[in-house]
Amino acid sequence: MDDTPLIQLNGVSRSFVSKTAALDILHKADLSIQPGETIAILGASGIGKSTLLNIIGTLDKPDTGNLLFRGEQILGYNDEKLAAFRNQNIGFVFQFHYLLQGFTAVENVMLPGLISGKSKKTIEKHAANMLERVELGARIEYRVEDLSGGEQQRVAIARALVMAPALLLADEPTGNLDQQNSQAVHQLLKELNREMGMTIVVVTHNSDLAGLMDRRLTLKNGKIVPA
Ligand SMILES: Nc1ncnc2c1ncn2[C@@H]1O[C@H](COP(=O)(O)OP(=O)(O)OP(=O)(O)O)[C@@H](O)[C@H]1O
């Protein structure tokens, strides 16, 4: 059986220098994530959760250390290759969904597919299926600004998943939603992990969502440790 981790951070360091201090967010930190695992990253504000998520998602680069995806070093990729890599392998969901206003739900969900160069017809079908999957089949032609907050976040999840990425990264995906909508999104993430075998790493303050994940991690003295 192939037990290559989906993600490996080896000896990763990342610090920021402010006017008053140097912040060692990660210091020679290690992390290994198996395919299909679900992980919550917890911890106090400013501890470095988003920084860690951004490094895993190649949106930020460590100062030193290695990042491997299925055993392959990816930090050496140029920007173009990295963008294509992200498009094919990683879906992102943020607290604020960054949907394109003025466009319909299905147009928003199609976007990653159009960037990938797939045929419009194929990607439209995938996008409509994904919107069905997040129970927005009756809303595919709605402009996103006419949808509720919870519906908009489900459109964002459909967009993150339309390329069937191996890895879904979510930063406070329900931070902006009421309890009922939050619970619906939590269940959806768990179901998608079960159905698609998708690996999920989520930054959250929400204990319900953290409790649904396989592992809970936090940062301590620059290391990634069990929460
Ligand atoms: N590009 C940057 N330049 C300088 N400092 C930064 C930068 N990015 C993050 N930081 C600092 O690093 C620390 C960790 O930030 P990060 O956003 O990762 O924390 P967090 O745990 O996600 O916080 P929150 O829960 O409030 O979102 C913070 O003190 C932040 O101000």
Side-chain angles (χ1 to χ4, degrees), residues 128-167:
N129 284 345
M130 212 54 234
L131 282 166
E132 291 275 355
R133 179 60 197 82
V134 300
E135 289 169 18
L136 288 174
R139 298 278 187 277
I140 63 174
E141 297 296 345
Y142 276 50
R143 278 197 280 190
V144 290
E145 59 269 36
D146 296 332
L147 299 174
S148 74
E151 289 170 341
Q152 291 185 19
Q153 196 57 313
R154 282 187 276 147
V155 174
I157 290 171
R159 181 184 55 183
L161 298 179
V162 73
M163 297 289 291
L167 177 62

PDB file of all heavy atoms in Angstrom, residues 128-167:
ATOM      1  N   ALA A 128     -22.587  22.722 -12.281  1.00  0.00           N
ATOM      2  CA  ALA A 128     -23.999  22.523 -11.941  1.00  0.00           C
ATOM      3  C   ALA A 128     -24.141  21.341 -10.979  1.00  0.00           C
ATOM      4  O   ALA A 128     -24.896  21.404 -10.001  1.00  0.00           O
ATOM      5  CB  ALA A 128     -24.819  22.300 -13.213  1.00  0.00           C
ATOM      6  N   ASN A 129     -23.378  20.262 -11.230  1.00  0.00           N
ATOM      7  CA  ASN A 129     -23.419  19.092 -10.333  1.00  0.00           C
ATOM      8  C   ASN A 129     -22.953  19.459  -8.931  1.00  0.00           C
ATOM      9  O   ASN A 129     -23.535  19.022  -7.933  1.00  0.00           O
ATOM     10  CB  ASN A 129     -22.506  17.974 -10.856  1.00  0.00           C
ATOM     11  CG  ASN A 129     -23.119  17.260 -12.028  1.00  0.00           C
ATOM     12  OD1 ASN A 129     -24.325  17.391 -12.280  1.00  0.00           O
ATOM     13  ND2 ASN A 129     -22.304  16.535 -12.783  1.00  0.00           N
ATOM     14  N   MET A 130     -21.892  20.255  -8.874  1.00  0.00           N
ATOM     15  CA  MET A 130     -21.331  20.631  -7.572  1.00  0.00           C
ATOM     16  C   MET A 130     -22.335  21.506  -6.806  1.00  0.00           C
ATOM     17  O   MET A 130     -22.481  21.379  -5.596  1.00  0.00           O
ATOM     18  CB  MET A 130     -20.020  21.374  -7.812  1.00  0.00           C
ATOM     19  CG  MET A 130     -18.985  21.181  -6.764  1.00  0.00           C
ATOM     20  SD  MET A 130     -18.570  19.475  -6.407  1.00  0.00           S
ATOM     21  CE  MET A 130     -18.850  19.485  -4.644  1.00  0.00           C
ATOM     22  N   LEU A 131     -23.035  22.397  -7.535  1.00  0.00           N
ATOM     23  CA  LEU A 131     -24.044  23.235  -6.875  1.00  0.00           C
ATOM     24  C   LEU A 131     -25.221  22.380  -6.399  1.00  0.00           C
ATOM     25  O   LEU A 131     -25.785  22.633  -5.341  1.00  0.00           O
ATOM     26  CB  LEU A 131     -24.507  24.346  -7.807  1.00  0.00           C
ATOM     27  CG  LEU A 131     -23.511  25.511  -7.907  1.00  0.00           C
ATOM     28  CD1 LEU A 131     -23.837  26.416  -9.091  1.00  0.00           C
ATOM     29  CD2 LEU A 131     -23.497  26.329  -6.615  1.00  0.00           C
ATOM     30  N   GLU A 132     -25.576  21.361  -7.169  1.00  0.00           N
ATOM     31  CA  GLU A 132     -26.595  20.393  -6.710  1.00  0.00           C
ATOM     32  C   GLU A 132     -26.128  19.765  -5.402  1.00  0.00           C
ATOM     33  O   GLU A 132     -26.894  19.635  -4.455  1.00  0.00           O
ATOM     34  CB  GLU A 132     -26.769  19.257  -7.734  1.00  0.00           C
ATOM     35  CG  GLU A 132     -27.411  19.652  -9.042  1.00  0.00           C
ATOM     36  CD  GLU A 132     -28.929  19.631  -8.977  1.00  0.00           C
ATOM     37  OE1 GLU A 132     -29.470  19.210  -7.941  1.00  0.00           O
ATOM     38  OE2 GLU A 132     -29.547  20.061  -9.977  1.00  0.00           O
ATOM     39  N   ARG A 133     -24.837  19.393  -5.386  1.00  0.00           N
ATOM     40  CA  ARG A 133     -24.281  18.679  -4.236  1.00  0.00           C
ATOM     41  C   ARG A 133     -24.330  19.522  -2.968  1.00  0.00           C
ATOM     42  O   ARG A 133     -24.499  18.990  -1.875  1.00  0.00           O
ATOM     43  CB  ARG A 133     -22.825  18.261  -4.550  1.00  0.00           C
ATOM     44  CG  ARG A 133     -22.134  17.532  -3.437  1.00  0.00           C
ATOM     45  CD  ARG A 133     -22.890  16.253  -3.096  1.00  0.00           C
ATOM     46  NE  ARG A 133     -22.534  15.710  -1.801  1.00  0.00           N
ATOM     47  CZ  ARG A 133     -23.016  16.121  -0.640  1.00  0.00           C
ATOM     48  NH1 ARG A 133     -23.882  17.108  -0.567  1.00  0.00           N
ATOM     49  NH2 ARG A 133     -22.644  15.546   0.479  1.00  0.00           N
ATOM     50  N   VAL A 134     -24.182  20.838  -3.106  1.00  0.00           N
ATOM     51  CA  VAL A 134     -24.264  21.700  -1.923  1.00  0.00           C
ATOM     52  C   VAL A 134     -25.693  22.260  -1.749  1.00  0.00           C
ATOM     53  O   VAL A 134     -25.910  23.252  -1.065  1.00  0.00           O
ATOM     54  CB  VAL A 134     -23.211  22.845  -1.938  1.00  0.00           C
ATOM     55  CG1 VAL A 134     -21.801  22.282  -1.983  1.00  0.00           C
ATOM     56  CG2 VAL A 134     -23.437  23.810  -3.103  1.00  0.00           C
ATOM     57  N   GLU A 135     -26.636  21.555  -2.392  1.00  0.00           N
ATOM     58  CA  GLU A 135     -28.066  21.854  -2.272  1.00  0.00           C
ATOM     59  C   GLU A 135     -28.436  23.245  -2.743  1.00  0.00           C
ATOM     60  O   GLU A 135     -29.278  23.925  -2.151  1.00  0.00           O
ATOM     61  CB  GLU A 135     -28.535  21.590  -0.838  1.00  0.00           C
ATOM     62  CG  GLU A 135     -28.556  20.091  -0.578  1.00  0.00           C
ATOM     63  CD  GLU A 135     -28.759  19.731   0.868  1.00  0.00           C
ATOM     64  OE1 GLU A 135     -29.210  20.602   1.630  1.00  0.00           O
ATOM     65  OE2 GLU A 135     -28.463  18.583   1.218  1.00  0.00           O
ATOM     66  N   LEU A 136     -27.793  23.653  -3.839  1.00  0.00           N
ATOM     67  CA  LEU A 136     -28.152  24.934  -4.449  1.00  0.00           C
ATOM     68  C   LEU A 136     -28.587  24.729  -5.902  1.00  0.00           C
ATOM     69  O   LEU A 136     -28.488  25.652  -6.720  1.00  0.00           O
ATOM     70  CB  LEU A 136     -26.962  25.906  -4.389  1.00  0.00           C
ATOM     71  CG  LEU A 136     -26.637  26.458  -3.005  1.00  0.00           C
ATOM     72  CD1 LEU A 136     -25.367  27.294  -3.055  1.00  0.00           C
ATOM     73  CD2 LEU A 136     -27.789  27.288  -2.448  1.00  0.00           C
ATOM     74  N   GLY A 137     -29.087  23.538  -6.189  1.00  0.00           N
ATOM     75  CA  GLY A 137     -29.511  23.230  -7.558  1.00  0.00           C
ATOM     76  C   GLY A 137     -30.565  24.205  -8.071  1.00  0.00           C
ATOM     77  O   GLY A 137     -30.605  24.521  -9.266  1.00  0.00           O
ATOM     78  N   ALA A 138     -31.376  24.719  -7.163  1.00  0.00           N
ATOM     79  CA  ALA A 138     -32.448  25.631  -7.575  1.00  0.00           C
ATOM     80  C   ALA A 138     -31.964  27.081  -7.682  1.00  0.00           C
ATOM     81  O   ALA A 138     -32.738  27.984  -7.984  1.00  0.00           O
ATOM     82  CB  ALA A 138     -33.597  25.551  -6.573  1.00  0.00           C
ATOM     83  N   ARG A 139     -30.675  27.292  -7.419  1.00  0.00           N
ATOM     84  CA  ARG A 139     -30.161  28.669  -7.372  1.00  0.00           C
ATOM     85  C   ARG A 139     -29.041  28.909  -8.385  1.00  0.00           C
ATOM     86  O   ARG A 139     -28.389  29.943  -8.327  1.00  0.00           O
ATOM     87  CB  ARG A 139     -29.572  28.974  -5.986  1.00  0.00           C
ATOM     88  CG  ARG A 139     -30.550  28.905  -4.831  1.00  0.00           C
ATOM     89  CD  ARG A 139     -31.347  30.180  -4.705  1.00  0.00           C
ATOM     90  NE  ARG A 139     -32.154  30.196  -3.513  1.00  0.00           N
ATOM     91  CZ  ARG A 139     -33.347  29.616  -3.408  1.00  0.00           C
ATOM     92  NH1 ARG A 139     -33.842  28.941  -4.431  1.00  0.00           N
ATOM     93  NH2 ARG A 139     -34.017  29.680  -2.287  1.00  0.00           N
ATOM     94  N   ILE A 140     -28.809  27.975  -9.297  1.00  0.00           N
ATOM     95  CA  ILE A 140     -27.580  28.087 -10.100  1.00  0.00           C
ATOM     96  C   ILE A 140     -27.539  29.342 -10.960  1.00  0.00           C
ATOM     97  O   ILE A 140     -26.479  29.865 -11.225  1.00  0.00           O
ATOM     98  CB  ILE A 140     -27.291  26.825 -10.959  1.00  0.00           C
ATOM     99  CG1 ILE A 140     -28.371  26.568 -11.984  1.00  0.00           C
ATOM    100  CG2 ILE A 140     -27.079  25.609 -10.109  1.00  0.00           C
ATOM    101  CD1 ILE A 140     -28.004  25.407 -12.910  1.00  0.00           C
ATOM    102  N   GLU A 141     -28.708  29.852 -11.360  1.00  0.00           N
ATOM    103  CA  GLU A 141     -28.705  31.051 -12.208  1.00  0.00           C
ATOM    104  C   GLU A 141     -28.890  32.341 -11.406  1.00  0.00           C
ATOM    105  O   GLU A 141     -29.031  33.413 -11.969  1.00  0.00           O
ATOM    106  CB  GLU A 141     -29.788  30.939 -13.290  1.00  0.00           C
ATOM    107  CG  GLU A 141     -29.582  29.789 -14.285  1.00  0.00           C
ATOM    108  CD  GLU A 141     -28.314  29.926 -15.128  1.00  0.00           C
ATOM    109  OE1 GLU A 141     -27.723  31.029 -15.176  1.00  0.00           O
ATOM    110  OE2 GLU A 141     -27.906  28.908 -15.726  1.00  0.00           O
ATOM    111  N   TYR A 142     -28.910  32.243 -10.081  1.00  0.00           N
ATOM    112  CA  TYR A 142     -29.017  33.455  -9.258  1.00  0.00           C
ATOM    113  C   TYR A 142     -27.694  34.201  -9.256  1.00  0.00           C
ATOM    114  O   TYR A 142     -26.632  33.582  -9.190  1.00  0.00           O
ATOM    115  CB  TYR A 142     -29.331  33.094  -7.795  1.00  0.00           C
ATOM    116  CG  TYR A 142     -30.771  32.871  -7.478  1.00  0.00           C
ATOM    117  CD1 TYR A 142     -31.565  32.024  -8.250  1.00  0.00           C
ATOM    118  CD2 TYR A 142     -31.352  33.489  -6.364  1.00  0.00           C
ATOM    119  CE1 TYR A 142     -32.891  31.797  -7.927  1.00  0.00           C
ATOM    120  CE2 TYR A 142     -32.682  33.272  -6.040  1.00  0.00           C
ATOM    121  CZ  TYR A 142     -33.441  32.421  -6.823  1.00  0.00           C
ATOM    122  OH  TYR A 142     -34.738  32.195  -6.494  1.00  0.00           O
ATOM    123  N   ARG A 143     -27.777  35.523  -9.271  1.00  0.00           N
ATOM    124  CA  ARG A 143     -26.544  36.270  -9.051  1.00  0.00           C
ATOM    125  C   ARG A 143     -26.154  36.128  -7.582  1.00  0.00           C
ATOM    126  O   ARG A 143     -27.019  36.107  -6.698  1.00  0.00           O
ATOM    127  CB  ARG A 143     -26.745  37.741  -9.423  1.00  0.00           C
ATOM    128  CG  ARG A 143     -26.583  37.905 -10.929  1.00  0.00           C
ATOM    129  CD  ARG A 143     -26.355  39.307 -11.284  1.00  0.00           C
ATOM    130  NE  ARG A 143     -27.632  40.011 -11.288  1.00  0.00           N
ATOM    131  CZ  ARG A 143     -27.786  41.228 -11.743  1.00  0.00           C
ATOM    132  NH1 ARG A 143     -26.760  41.909 -12.191  1.00  0.00           N
ATOM    133  NH2 ARG A 143     -28.967  41.797 -11.743  1.00  0.00           N
ATOM    134  N   VAL A 144     -24.852  36.066  -7.318  1.00  0.00           N
ATOM    135  CA  VAL A 144     -24.430  35.706  -5.961  1.00  0.00           C
ATOM    136  C   VAL A 144     -24.889  36.722  -4.915  1.00  0.00           C
ATOM    137  O   VAL A 144     -25.161  36.359  -3.778  1.00  0.00           O
ATOM    138  CB  VAL A 144     -22.904  35.453  -5.855  1.00  0.00           C
ATOM    139  CG1 VAL A 144     -22.521  34.186  -6.568  1.00  0.00           C
ATOM    140  CG2 VAL A 144     -22.088  36.624  -6.353  1.00  0.00           C
ATOM    141  N   GLU A 145     -25.020  37.994  -5.322  1.00  0.00           N
ATOM    142  CA  GLU A 145     -25.435  38.985  -4.323  1.00  0.00           C
ATOM    143  C   GLU A 145     -26.904  38.825  -3.924  1.00  0.00           C
ATOM    144  O   GLU A 145     -27.343  39.403  -2.932  1.00  0.00           O
ATOM    145  CB  GLU A 145     -25.149  40.419  -4.790  1.00  0.00           C
ATOM    146  CG  GLU A 145     -25.807  40.839  -6.082  1.00  0.00           C
ATOM    147  CD  GLU A 145     -24.928  40.557  -7.306  1.00  0.00           C
ATOM    148  OE1 GLU A 145     -24.220  39.539  -7.317  1.00  0.00           O
ATOM    149  OE2 GLU A 145     -24.980  41.360  -8.249  1.00  0.00           O
ATOM    150  N   ASP A 146     -27.657  38.016  -4.675  1.00  0.00           N
ATOM    151  CA  ASP A 146     -29.050  37.760  -4.312  1.00  0.00           C
ATOM    152  C   ASP A 146     -29.201  36.522  -3.422  1.00  0.00           C
ATOM    153  O   ASP A 146     -30.316  36.132  -3.069  1.00  0.00           O
ATOM    154  CB  ASP A 146     -29.905  37.589  -5.577  1.00  0.00           C
ATOM    155  CG  ASP A 146     -29.945  38.870  -6.401  1.00  0.00           C
ATOM    156  OD1 ASP A 146     -29.806  39.954  -5.799  1.00  0.00           O
ATOM    157  OD2 ASP A 146     -30.091  38.788  -7.630  1.00  0.00           O
ATOM    158  N   LEU A 147     -28.099  35.892  -3.079  1.00  0.00           N
ATOM    159  CA  LEU A 147     -28.143  34.714  -2.209  1.00  0.00           C
ATOM    160  C   LEU A 147     -27.873  35.109  -0.761  1.00  0.00           C
ATOM    161  O   LEU A 147     -27.242  36.133  -0.497  1.00  0.00           O
ATOM    162  CB  LEU A 147     -27.081  33.694  -2.652  1.00  0.00           C
ATOM    163  CG  LEU A 147     -27.224  33.142  -4.076  1.00  0.00           C
ATOM    164  CD1 LEU A 147     -26.024  32.266  -4.432  1.00  0.00           C
ATOM    165  CD2 LEU A 147     -28.524  32.364  -4.227  1.00  0.00           C
ATOM    166  N   SER A 148     -28.332  34.253   0.175  1.00  0.00           N
ATOM    167  CA  SER A 148     -28.070  34.508   1.600  1.00  0.00           C
ATOM    168  C   SER A 148     -26.589  34.243   1.893  1.00  0.00           C
ATOM    169  O   SER A 148     -25.885  33.629   1.086  1.00  0.00           O
ATOM    170  CB  SER A 148     -28.933  33.591   2.458  1.00  0.00           C
ATOM    171  OG  SER A 148     -28.410  32.275   2.408  1.00  0.00           O
ATOM    172  N   GLY A 149     -26.136  34.681   3.085  1.00  0.00           N
ATOM    173  CA  GLY A 149     -24.737  34.477   3.480  1.00  0.00           C
ATOM    174  C   GLY A 149     -24.346  32.996   3.456  1.00  0.00           C
ATOM    175  O   GLY A 149     -23.279  32.627   2.963  1.00  0.00           O
ATOM    176  N   GLY A 150     -25.237  32.166   3.987  1.00  0.00           N
ATOM    177  CA  GLY A 150     -24.950  30.724   4.031  1.00  0.00           C
ATOM    178  C   GLY A 150     -24.903  30.131   2.632  1.00  0.00           C
ATOM    179  O   GLY A 150     -24.051  29.283   2.330  1.00  0.00           O
ATOM    180  N   GLU A 151     -25.819  30.595   1.775  1.00  0.00           N
ATOM    181  CA  GLU A 151     -25.822  30.109   0.389  1.00  0.00           C
ATOM    182  C   GLU A 151     -24.552  30.545  -0.337  1.00  0.00           C
ATOM    183  O   GLU A 151     -23.948  29.773  -1.088  1.00  0.00           O
ATOM    184  CB  GLU A 151     -27.062  30.622  -0.345  1.00  0.00           C
ATOM    185  CG  GLU A 151     -28.343  29.949   0.126  1.00  0.00           C
ATOM    186  CD  GLU A 151     -29.615  30.617  -0.415  1.00  0.00           C
ATOM    187  OE1 GLU A 151     -29.553  31.793  -0.860  1.00  0.00           O
ATOM    188  OE2 GLU A 151     -30.671  29.968  -0.366  1.00  0.00           O
ATOM    189  N   GLN A 152     -24.129  31.787  -0.100  1.00  0.00           N
ATOM    190  CA  GLN A 152     -22.903  32.279  -0.747  1.00  0.00           C
ATOM    191  C   GLN A 152     -21.700  31.441  -0.324  1.00  0.00           C
ATOM    192  O   GLN A 152     -20.840  31.119  -1.142  1.00  0.00           O
ATOM    193  CB  GLN A 152     -22.674  33.754  -0.390  1.00  0.00           C
ATOM    194  CG  GLN A 152     -23.708  34.667  -1.031  1.00  0.00           C
ATOM    195  CD  GLN A 152     -23.433  36.148  -0.784  1.00  0.00           C
ATOM    196  OE1 GLN A 152     -22.337  36.547  -0.439  1.00  0.00           O
ATOM    197  NE2 GLN A 152     -24.455  36.957  -0.985  1.00  0.00           N
ATOM    198  N   GLN A 153     -21.658  31.070   0.956  1.00  0.00           N
ATOM    199  CA  GLN A 153     -20.507  30.269   1.401  1.00  0.00           C
ATOM    200  C   GLN A 153     -20.550  28.875   0.773  1.00  0.00           C
ATOM    201  O   GLN A 153     -19.513  28.298   0.453  1.00  0.00           O
ATOM    202  CB  GLN A 153     -20.464  30.203   2.940  1.00  0.00           C
ATOM    203  CG  GLN A 153     -19.148  29.733   3.532  1.00  0.00           C
ATOM    204  CD  GLN A 153     -17.929  30.553   3.129  1.00  0.00           C
ATOM    205  OE1 GLN A 153     -17.712  30.862   1.952  1.00  0.00           O
ATOM    206  NE2 GLN A 153     -17.098  30.904   4.081  1.00  0.00           N
ATOM    207  N   ARG A 154     -21.768  28.354   0.547  1.00  0.00           N
ATOM    208  CA  ARG A 154     -21.859  27.044  -0.117  1.00  0.00           C
ATOM    209  C   ARG A 154     -21.451  27.151  -1.590  1.00  0.00           C
ATOM    210  O   ARG A 154     -20.867  26.222  -2.138  1.00  0.00           O
ATOM    211  CB  ARG A 154     -23.259  26.463   0.044  1.00  0.00           C
ATOM    212  CG  ARG A 154     -23.433  25.868   1.441  1.00  0.00           C
ATOM    213  CD  ARG A 154     -24.722  25.136   1.593  1.00  0.00           C
ATOM    214  NE  ARG A 154     -25.822  26.039   1.913  1.00  0.00           N
ATOM    215  CZ  ARG A 154     -27.077  25.878   1.520  1.00  0.00           C
ATOM    216  NH1 ARG A 154     -27.411  24.846   0.779  1.00  0.00           N
ATOM    217  NH2 ARG A 154     -27.996  26.753   1.876  1.00  0.00           N
ATOM    218  N   VAL A 155     -21.732  28.298  -2.217  1.00  0.00           N
ATOM    219  CA  VAL A 155     -21.234  28.516  -3.590  1.00  0.00           C
ATOM    220  C   VAL A 155     -19.696  28.503  -3.570  1.00  0.00           C
ATOM    221  O   VAL A 155     -19.049  27.892  -4.435  1.00  0.00           O
ATOM    222  CB  VAL A 155     -21.736  29.854  -4.185  1.00  0.00           C
ATOM    223  CG1 VAL A 155     -21.086  30.122  -5.545  1.00  0.00           C
ATOM    224  CG2 VAL A 155     -23.247  29.860  -4.316  1.00  0.00           C
ATOM    225  N   ALA A 156     -19.119  29.163  -2.561  1.00  0.00           N
ATOM    226  CA  ALA A 156     -17.648  29.212  -2.459  1.00  0.00           C
ATOM    227  C   ALA A 156     -17.075  27.806  -2.272  1.00  0.00           C
ATOM    228  O   ALA A 156     -16.019  27.472  -2.833  1.00  0.00           O
ATOM    229  CB  ALA A 156     -17.229  30.118  -1.305  1.00  0.00           C
ATOM    230  N   ILE A 157     -17.780  26.976  -1.506  1.00  0.00           N
ATOM    231  CA  ILE A 157     -17.313  25.594  -1.316  1.00  0.00           C
ATOM    232  C   ILE A 157     -17.425  24.823  -2.631  1.00  0.00           C
ATOM    233  O   ILE A 157     -16.503  24.094  -3.020  1.00  0.00           O
ATOM    234  CB  ILE A 157     -18.103  24.911  -0.179  1.00  0.00           C
ATOM    235  CG1 ILE A 157     -17.700  25.556   1.165  1.00  0.00           C
ATOM    236  CG2 ILE A 157     -17.847  23.406  -0.157  1.00  0.00           C
ATOM    237  CD1 ILE A 157     -18.541  25.127   2.343  1.00  0.00           C
ATOM    238  N   ALA A 158     -18.533  25.020  -3.340  1.00  0.00           N
ATOM    239  CA  ALA A 158     -18.689  24.354  -4.650  1.00  0.00           C
ATOM    240  C   ALA A 158     -17.558  24.786  -5.592  1.00  0.00           C
ATOM    241  O   ALA A 158     -16.987  23.959  -6.308  1.00  0.00           O
ATOM    242  CB  ALA A 158     -20.052  24.686  -5.250  1.00  0.00           C
ATOM    243  N   ARG A 159     -17.223  26.072  -5.571  1.00  0.00           N
ATOM    244  CA  ARG A 159     -16.142  26.565  -6.427  1.00  0.00           C
ATOM    245  C   ARG A 159     -14.802  25.926  -6.033  1.00  0.00           C
ATOM    246  O   ARG A 159     -14.001  25.547  -6.889  1.00  0.00           O
ATOM    247  CB  ARG A 159     -16.037  28.097  -6.322  1.00  0.00           C
ATOM    248  CG  ARG A 159     -14.945  28.691  -7.200  1.00  0.00           C
ATOM    249  CD  ARG A 159     -14.805  30.186  -7.006  1.00  0.00           C
ATOM    250  NE  ARG A 159     -14.582  30.522  -5.599  1.00  0.00           N
ATOM    251  CZ  ARG A 159     -14.478  31.742  -5.121  1.00  0.00           C
ATOM    252  NH1 ARG A 159     -14.607  32.779  -5.933  1.00  0.00           N
ATOM    253  NH2 ARG A 159     -14.269  31.954  -3.837  1.00  0.00           N
ATOM    254  N   ALA A 160     -14.581  25.779  -4.727  1.00  0.00           N
ATOM    255  CA  ALA A 160     -13.317  25.181  -4.263  1.00  0.00           C
ATOM    256  C   ALA A 160     -13.210  23.719  -4.678  1.00  0.00           C
ATOM    257  O   ALA A 160     -12.113  23.187  -4.801  1.00  0.00           O
ATOM    258  CB  ALA A 160     -13.214  25.302  -2.746  1.00  0.00           C
ATOM    259  N   LEU A 161     -14.368  23.068  -4.890  1.00  0.00           N
ATOM    260  CA  LEU A 161     -14.352  21.625  -5.123  1.00  0.00           C
ATOM    261  C   LEU A 161     -14.573  21.227  -6.567  1.00  0.00           C
ATOM    262  O   LEU A 161     -14.516  20.044  -6.903  1.00  0.00           O
ATOM    263  CB  LEU A 161     -15.422  20.961  -4.247  1.00  0.00           C
ATOM    264  CG  LEU A 161     -15.192  21.147  -2.756  1.00  0.00           C
ATOM    265  CD1 LEU A 161     -16.303  20.480  -1.968  1.00  0.00           C
ATOM    266  CD2 LEU A 161     -13.850  20.574  -2.354  1.00  0.00           C
ATOM    267  N   VAL A 162     -14.811  22.193  -7.433  1.00  0.00           N
ATOM    268  CA  VAL A 162     -15.229  21.860  -8.805  1.00  0.00           C
ATOM    269  C   VAL A 162     -14.128  21.126  -9.575  1.00  0.00           C
ATOM    270  O   VAL A 162     -14.414  20.327 -10.463  1.00  0.00           O
ATOM    271  CB  VAL A 162     -15.727  23.124  -9.554  1.00  0.00           C
ATOM    272  CG1 VAL A 162     -14.590  24.048  -9.941  1.00  0.00           C
ATOM    273  CG2 VAL A 162     -16.554  22.743 -10.776  1.00  0.00           C
ATOM    274  N   MET A 163     -12.876  21.337  -9.189  1.00  0.00           N
ATOM    275  CA  MET A 163     -11.771  20.624  -9.850  1.00  0.00           C
ATOM    276  C   MET A 163     -11.457  19.300  -9.140  1.00  0.00           C
ATOM    277  O   MET A 163     -10.444  18.671  -9.433  1.00  0.00           O
ATOM    278  CB  MET A 163     -10.513  21.500  -9.853  1.00  0.00           C
ATOM    279  CG  MET A 163     -10.652  22.784 -10.634  1.00  0.00           C
ATOM    280  SD  MET A 163     -10.711  22.490 -12.406  1.00  0.00           S
ATOM    281  CE  MET A 163      -9.045  21.941 -12.701  1.00  0.00           C
ATOM    282  N   ALA A 164     -12.319  18.903  -8.196  1.00  0.00           N
ATOM    283  CA  ALA A 164     -12.091  17.693  -7.388  1.00  0.00           C
ATOM    284  C   ALA A 164     -10.663  17.665  -6.832  1.00  0.00           C
ATOM    285  O   ALA A 164      -9.892  16.731  -7.083  1.00  0.00           O
ATOM    286  CB  ALA A 164     -12.381  16.434  -8.208  1.00  0.00           C
ATOM    287  N   PRO A 165     -10.272  18.697  -6.068  1.00  0.00           N
ATOM    288  CA  PRO A 165      -8.897  18.761  -5.566  1.00  0.00           C
ATOM    289  C   PRO A 165      -8.648  17.682  -4.512  1.00  0.00           C
ATOM    290  O   PRO A 165      -9.580  17.257  -3.828  1.00  0.00           O
ATOM    291  CB  PRO A 165      -8.831  20.152  -4.919  1.00  0.00           C
ATOM    292  CG  PRO A 165     -10.230  20.406  -4.464  1.00  0.00           C
ATOM    293  CD  PRO A 165     -11.111  19.777  -5.506  1.00  0.00           C
ATOM    294  N   ALA A 166      -7.383  17.279  -4.397  1.00  0.00           N
ATOM    295  CA  ALA A 166      -7.026  16.309  -3.358  1.00  0.00           C
ATOM    296  C   ALA A 166      -7.091  16.954  -1.980  1.00  0.00           C
ATOM    297  O   ALA A 166      -7.319  16.288  -0.980  1.00  0.00           O
ATOM    298  CB  ALA A 166      -5.618  15.793  -3.616  1.00  0.00           C
ATOM    299  N   LEU A 167      -6.900  18.279  -1.947  1.00  0.00           N
ATOM    300  CA  LEU A 167      -6.775  18.985  -0.673  1.00  0.00           C
ATOM    301  C   LEU A 167      -7.700  20.202  -0.633  1.00  0.00           C
ATOM    302  O   LEU A 167      -7.688  21.023  -1.558  1.00  0.00           O
ATOM    303  CB  LEU A 167      -5.317  19.449  -0.517  1.00  0.00           C
ATOM    304  CG  LEU A 167      -4.955  20.274   0.717  1.00  0.00           C
ATOM    305  CD1 LEU A 167      -5.188  19.474   1.990  1.00  0.00           C
ATOM    306  CD2 LEU A 167      -3.490  20.719   0.648  1.00  0.00           C
TER     307      LEU A 167
END
